[in-house]
Amino acid sequence: MGQLKLPRLPERTPVKVTLSIPPDLNDALTDYAELYATTYGRQEAVAELIPAMLSLFLESDREFVKIRRNKHSKVIADQSKGATL
């Protein structure tokens, strides 16, 4: 089977994660949601903002991005070695 230009789409099913946070972090997140609403004129629940905040944090961590990219490049290379055309 040939290679398509578009790679296989990643898993897109949301994963629910439950966590406990300290009260001061909850207060800060609530304050952030209020500032977000004031800035953008749109109210968003803290639970809706957290995934975007985490993504932005991870994307801004240069070392993490570099290591993760190298890890995924190795996985793709290993998969390519096993593929038959």
Side-chain angles (χ1 to χ4, degrees):
M1 192 147 89
Q3 290 263 18
L4 297 176
K5 188 159 191 104
L6 178 68
R8 183 176 178 170
L9 295 176
E11 177 62 46
R12 295 177 309 280
T13 305
V15 177
K16 184 171 182 137
V17 176
T18 304
L19 68 138
S20 298
I21 58 173
D24 58 331
L25 179 55
N26 184 61
D27 292 344
L29 289 169
T30 301
D31 290 345
Y32 191 92
E34 290 172 9
L35 181 57
Y36 181 94
T38 300
T39 302
Y40 296 112
R42 180 176 171 160
Q43 197 94 20
E44 295 286 353
V46 169
E48 296 297 321
L49 294 174
I50 290 173
M53 296 166 105
L54 289 172
S55 291
L56 185 63
F57 173 80
L58 292 174
E59 291 167 5
S60 69
D61 187 321
R62 295 164 123 185
E63 189 65 18
F64 173 73
V65 169
K66 184 174 86 175
I67 290 169
R68 191 161 191 243
R69 184 179 23 226
N70 289 339
K71 175 184 168 187
H72 286 288
S73 295
K74 182 179 179 340
V75 168
I76 290 169
D78 290 345
Q79 288 174 348
S80 295
K81 289 177 187 174
T84 56
L85 298 178

